Amino acid sequence: MRLRALLDTTSLGLRLLGGEDELERSVRGVMTTDLRDPSRYLSGGELVLTGLAWRREAADSERFVRILAAAGVAGLAAGEAELGSVPDDLVQACARHRLPLFSVVEDVSFASITEYVVRQVSGERAGDLAAVVDRHRRLMTSGPAGGGPEVVLDLLGSDLDLRAWVLSPTGRQIAGSTLAGAGPELPGELAAQLAGEHLAASRGGRRGPYRVTLGGTTYSLFPIRHEGRDLRETLLSDWLLAVDADAGDWPAERLDLLQGVTQLIAVERDRRDAARTVRRRLAQEVIELVQTGAPPAEIAARLRVAAPVLLPGLGAAPHWQIVVARVEWDGDGVPGGPVAQALLEEVLVDPGTFGPEPSDRIAVAHTGDEAVALVPLPATAEAAGEGAATGLHAGSLLSVIREPLGHGLADDGRLTVGVSASVHSAEGLRGALEEARHARRVAAARSGRVCAAGHEELASHVLLLPFVPDDVRRAFTARLLDPLRDYDRRHRAELIPTLEAFLDSDGSWTRCAGRLHLHVNTLRYRVGRIEQLTGRDLSRLEDKLDFFLALRMS
């Protein structure tokens, strides 16, 4: 379509401010941005929509317009909502660079303009995407008329005979075609490989779509991008569109159609991200209360508010777990907190689940470079009669997704994760948070781009170094010695003195029995009781060392 056609559509609310001689330019697409430098996302021929949030001073206009002109965009449309009117310095900069400039009235949304342009461009080049564009607004609703990305994928299958899937950066399938015989399920291992190839190609600077051949089949991978100042800020949270076809021999028109599809799916991604705002805020409030040492009653009250949101229809959670993640990049200037937050929201979803809904029960906050997840464990987790919720385990948490994330982190990024034990009350959350943070430090001490550690590893002597905080030392000794102290108080059994003597005797039954003036069978009974109460085995060197250190620090 031509730029001039936009002026003929009064419903778009466009007013020409300059560049009348350039209105015969062809529009190949549309892009909305408020980045100071959007050049990495421009391929030429776009109508650029901007809310002017990038403008801080008059000199910014010249720089912004120069970038757009160099990229070969068709025109620029500036919204009036931010500043009330389009500033003169922008009008003058566009005139210098012969870039057509429009203003957009405040009551017309950029989404309406985007929908119109995509529909017109696609209709002129090929009619096979018109139905997709017609359903643009349906993708932005959650009512019964919606359908999400599946609507688009079904039309790709019916109109273009293309099998396609929307994947998360870890390879989890967000959506697939629901048409009969389309085979919507993509094997988990293959999906993870495709996600890894996408992340590697993006970090390598290649331009999408990326083509990869796996198992004798060629796939084309189209990024579904968020905009950001640095690729590393968004790459590990972006979805991708995987198409079972080789796009290498496609005409430009077909490639443009698929790029239009990614734009529509990106709208759905933005909508679902916005829906997470409430859960993120609830998590932030609870974590701040925990960190500041708020009374347990206040934390419990906040949890009662959060539970219906995090566990809809399931009531209050009997147990909670805390997971801490940190993303660190070499060099300065790339914030890791938002990236870690997006990753945790994805990582904490079972990779075998289908669709985006399971993430609706994950509440993640972030501060600085750290993200903290508050994970409810529903009552069904303890239905097996084990007496406690089983919860998440660090060892298996990252096993499926370690490879694709490693490609995204490349040579300059690192993800480390720590997992706490489950707690059943607000009183336990402070300890769980510290436990998860120290477990993450254990993971950080290991080699590899993606590492995790769990609470069970905090009862090992390797952590008891001088820099470990006092509360962790107290937690370590309490876990090992409190059951023995309680038993001694109730039964006067002298298990603690027996343990000290046994270790001082290097585990010799005879020497220890003589030192305590006990019969060897009595000593064996006491040691057996110690092992029973603590779940440890005093014939193992590791457990002897743990008891030794706990006694020295108590």
Side-chain angles (χ1 to χ4, degrees):
M1 67 177 298
R2 307 291 181 182
L3 278 176
R4 188 178 301 279
L6 296 174
L7 290 175
D8 297 334
T9 308
T10 57
S11 62
L12 296 182
L14 295 177
R15 184 166 59 92
L16 183 65
L17 300 181
E20 184 173 1
D21 295 337
E22 303 293 332
L23 291 181
E24 293 305 314
R25 292 187 181 188
S26 295
V27 179
R28 299 179 61 251
V30 63
M31 175 190 178
T32 301
T33 184
D34 276 309
L35 295 175
R36 295 170 66 85
D37 180 4
S39 56
R40 72 166 71 239
Y41 304 106
L42 297 171
S43 58
E46 296 93 349
L47 172 66
V48 175
L49 307 175
T50 181
L52 300 177
W54 48 265
R55 183 185 178 277
R56 296 179 177 85
E57 57 184 7
D60 291 339
S61 293
E62 170 64 25
R63 179 176 181 272
F64 184 75
V65 172
R66 185 171 62 248
I67 291 171
L68 298 189
V73 305
L76 173 64
E80 297 178 351
E82 181 76 15
L83 302 178
S85 62
V86 177
D88 290 339
D89 48 87
L90 181 58
V91 176
Q92 294 164 9
C94 287
R96 284 193 295 272
H97 292 276
R98 300 180 64 84
L99 182 66
L101 175 64
F102 304 87
S103 66
V104 183
V105 297
E106 186 173 349
D107 58 353
V108 173
S109 70
F110 284 175
S112 297
I113 299 175
T114 299
E115 180 182 357
Y116 178 84
V117 172
V118 172
R119 182 190 296 119
Q120 296 302 314
V121 171
S122 301
E124 290 177 1
R125 290 180 172 171
D128 52 8
L129 197 60
V132 177
V133 181
D134 286 339
R135 301 191 191 189
H136 182 197
R137 292 198 182 279
R138 290 178 60 187
L139 289 172
M140 301 175 65
T141 68
S142 57
E150 289 82 4
V151 173
V152 180
L153 301 185
D154 283 350
L155 287 167
L156 287 179
S158 62
D159 295 354
L160 304 183
D161 196 26
L162 291 175
R163 298 172 65 226
W165 304 265
V166 177
L167 305 178
S168 78
T170 65
R172 189 173 66 87
Q173 186 170 324
I174 302 296
S177 175
T178 59
L179 293 176
E185 290 290 344
L186 195 64
E189 183 178 350
L190 174 58
Q193 286 181 293
L194 291 173
E197 293 287 346
H198 156 69
L199 293 172
S202 297
R203 288 305 308 273
R206 290 169 54 193
R207 196 180 189 91
Y210 319 118
R211 290 181 293 153
V212 57
T213 300
L214 297 173
T217 302
T218 298
Y219 299 88
S220 298
L221 311 178
F222 293 80
I224 301 172
R225 288 260 160 86
H226 284 311
E227 297 175 9
R229 292 182 298 276
D230 189 295
L231 181 64
R232 294 173 294 181
E233 292 183 49
T234 61
L235 179 65
L236 294 177
S237 60
D238 287 339
W239 291 353
L240 69 139
L241 177 66
V243 180
D244 182 3
D246 186 349
D249 56 358
W250 283 4
E253 290 78 8
R254 176 61 64 88
L255 289 171
D256 287 343
L257 294 180
L258 267 293
Q259 294 294 352
V261 168
T262 65
Q263 290 180 12
L264 299 186
I265 296 175
V267 171
E268 174 67 7
R269 174 63 194 267
D270 291 341
R271 186 188 69 80
R272 289 176 175 173
D273 279 352
R276 289 179 172 176
T277 302
V278 173
R279 293 188 298 281
R280 287 174 170 177
R281 187 177 71 246
L282 287 173
Q284 193 78 43
E285 291 173 355
V286 173
I287 296 303
E288 286 177 358
L289 289 174
V290 171
Q291 290 185 130
T292 56
E298 184 177 355
I299 299 174
R302 178 53 57 185
L303 285 176
R304 285 193 293 273
V305 172
V309 177
L310 301 177
L311 292 171
L314 297 180
H319 290 77
W320 299 87
Q321 248 178 316
I322 288 182
V323 181
V324 172
R326 193 177 183 92
V327 172
E328 298 171 292
W329 303 100
D330 295 344
D332 299 322
V334 182
V339 180
Q341 182 182 47
L343 277 178
L344 264 190
E345 288 172 335
E346 175 61 33
V347 166
L348 294 177
V349 178
D350 183 347
T353 60
F354 180 86
E357 288 72 21
S359 64
D360 291 348
R361 293 179 182 174
I362 306 299
V364 186
H366 80 82
T367 54
D369 287 336
E370 179 185 76
V372 181
L374 185 65
V375 182
L377 304 178
T380 52
E382 46 185 9
E386 298 172 355
T390 54
L392 303 167
H393 296 279
S396 58
L397 191 61
L398 301 179
S399 59
V400 177
I401 60 179
R402 181 173 279 108
E403 183 176 351
L405 288 184
H407 287 299
L409 294 164
D411 296 326
D412 59 347
R414 195 148 190 256
L415 168 66
T416 51
V417 177
V419 182
S420 79
S422 63
V423 295
H424 67 278
S425 66
E427 289 89 342
L429 284 178
R430 179 65 182 268
L433 178 59
E434 292 302 318
E435 195 170 53
R437 281 175 169 161
H438 292 299
R440 191 206 63 78
R441 292 192 183 101
V442 175
R446 296 170 175 162
S447 60
R449 291 290 168 187
V450 182
C451 297
H455 61 92
E456 65 277 359
E457 300 180 61
L458 295 182
S460 174
H461 60 278
V462 298
L463 291 179
L464 300 180
L465 303 173
F467 64 83
V468 176
D470 290 340
D471 54 346
V472 176
R473 293 171 179 263
R474 286 193 295 270
F476 176 84
T477 58
R479 182 173 294 167
L480 287 174
L481 302 183
D482 277 1
L484 307 183
R485 290 169 178 152
D486 292 342
Y487 191 90
D488 281 348
R489 278 195 297 269
R490 293 194 306 270
H491 302 283
R492 299 181 182 179
E494 297 187 337
L495 295 185
I496 291 289
T498 301
L499 175 62
E500 291 177 323
F502 186 75
L503 294 175
D504 288 342
S505 301
D506 297 325
S508 170
W509 297 101
T510 303
R511 290 207 310 272
C512 182
R515 180 173 175 174
L516 295 175
H517 307 289
L518 296 174
H519 191 277
V520 172
N521 288 343
T522 302
L523 175 61
R524 290 186 184 278
Y525 172 83
R526 289 187 181 179
V527 170
R529 178 65 66 183
I530 290 171
E531 293 175 336
Q532 181 184 26
L533 291 171
T534 62
R536 298 302 187 102
D537 182 354
L538 279 168
S539 67
R540 297 178 67 248
L541 176 61
E542 293 88 344
D543 289 342
K544 289 179 182 177
L545 285 171
D546 285 344
F547 278 122
F548 175 82
L549 290 170
L551 289 168
R552 290 299 179 270
M553 292 190 300
S554 63

